Amino acid sequence: MNSKYLKSIAVLSLICLTIAALLGVVNFITAPVIEQAEIEATNKALAEVRPGADSFTPLTLTDYEGLDATITDIYSDTLGGYVVKLTTAGHQAGLVIMVGIDENGAVSGAKCLASAETYGEEKTYGDKTVGATAETIDSVATVSGVTKTTKAYRNAVKAALDAAIIISAKGGAQ
Amino acid sequence: MEKKNGAKELILNGILFENPVFVLVLGTCPTLAVSTTLLGAISMGLAAMVVLICSNAVISLLRKVIPDTVRIPCYIVVIAGFVTLVQMIMHAYLPDLYELLGIYLALITVNCIILGRAEMFANKNSVGKSALDGLGMGLGFTVALTAMATVREVLGNASFFGIAIPFLEPFKIAFLTQPPGGFFVFGVMIALTSFITKGKYPKKKSFSCEGCPSAGVCGSKECAGCSSAPEAQEKGGEA
């Protein structure tokens, strides 16, 4: 009886180890490619949400008080605007969103970089927020059927707009 | 069983006579979820097919080594391993498709077509036949998703592979892109498949309790004579 259990444990463990080793090898090969692709995607998104800006300088989040906890990165650009990157909970696993804010404090572009949501509406919802300011963002309608996801998206854009106000109030990028 | 199943029959069974979606009614959740767009449907079908072929082949290869008591955890580890592998490769080399499939790519792990074929076919047949069964079932899944997505995208969204069809725009039936529309198209497709196969499939043996993934833990009276039933396994183990 004991040998039967031991065999079961040994076989299952061996299969787990083999699969883990195989995944380790594949991860070793794909991880640098994924990392490079993410950097390129970030650069592409920066240019998309702030069209016309030549270069972007990352800001140190700890220099500014009162920023929303969902903000992971902030960049200032050559035109006097900002790009805010946020990771927020959506309906399920969450969204990674990049919001461009122009020198007048209005949204110049918003793009969803990664999503584990099931519906797909988050890919295009950002376009509806273009032109909105901290005062008007609440009037941008959510999408029926995807209310939780689009509400989370809208809140993220609002957090980005608030962040731009906080930075500007402190005299702009430091 | 092995002698009867030629390569052609195995593939044709998967595509039509034992189509996993429209005949065996397996994998309904991803079918309804990703069949709103043709690109998503075909990508999901192909990703599931790769996992099906690989997992069927490996499970068949290990069928004499894996003890019966831990066969389900072993199958799940193998299937989850291949799904993660496909995920990593798609994330690295096909990022757009990876984004498009989203959470449903990871959920291939719990797609009952894959576990069902591992239990019903791969653990009883040779590596070659199991891989062919994976190919047939994978093609069947892809064909089913494609058929549903064609109807839902063209009639529901007035587009084909994301390209708008302007003359259909005023007549589009948005309901078809919603979950109830998905169930409606699914029902129509099942009826159509039944009409084509004249309702003769699936054969009873495909659904016998030996073919049931839960046979090993099922306490049903009907399972009493089944070799996969708990009592029969106990006797086999003691022997």
Side-chain angles (χ1 to χ4, degrees), chain A residues 48-120:
Chain A
E48 276 181 38
V49 297
R50 285 295 291 135
D54 293 330
S55 66
F56 299 89
T57 312
L59 306 182
T60 309
L61 297 184
T62 49
D63 289 347
Y64 307 95
E65 280 178 20
L67 295 177
D68 195 271
T70 57
I71 295 171
T72 55
D73 294 294
I74 301 179
Y75 304 84
S76 64
D77 65 43
T78 47
L79 301 176
Y82 303 100
V83 176
V84 182
K85 191 176 174 186
L86 311 95
T87 301
T88 182
H91 175 248
Q92 284 157 343
L95 308 160
V96 179
I97 298 165
M98 197 169 257
V99 183
I101 297 156
D102 66 21
E103 55 280 16
N104 301 316
V107 176
S108 58
K111 189 176 163 68
C112 179
L113 299 181
S115 159
E117 305 287 280
T118 52
Y119 211 82

Side-chain angles (χ1 to χ4, degrees), chain A residues 145-158:
Chain A
V146 211
T147 314
K148 219 168 174 180
T149 303
T150 48
K151 200 170 180 182
Y153 200 125
R154 192 178 65 185
N155 288 341
V157 175
K158 191 176 182 186

Side-chain angles (χ1 to χ4, degrees), chain A residues 12 15, chain B residues 59 66-80 109 114-116 118-120 123 212-217 233:
Chain A
L12 184 56
I15 289 174
Chain B
I59 286 164
I66 298 174
D68 226 29
T69 45
V70 289
R71 70 188 194 288
I72 299 293
C74 289
Y75 298 165
I76 294 287
V77 170
V78 170
I79 293 165
T109 304
I114 296 169
L115 188 60
E119 180 74 339
M120 280 192 229
N123 79 345
C212 170
S214 306
V217 289
Q233 279 180 20

Side-chain angles (χ1 to χ4, degrees), chain B residues 58-71:
Chain B
V58 170
I59 286 164
S60 172
L61 189 73
L62 299 174
R63 70 188 189 279
K64 287 172 184 163
V65 182
I66 298 174
D68 226 29
T69 45
V70 289
R71 70 188 194 288

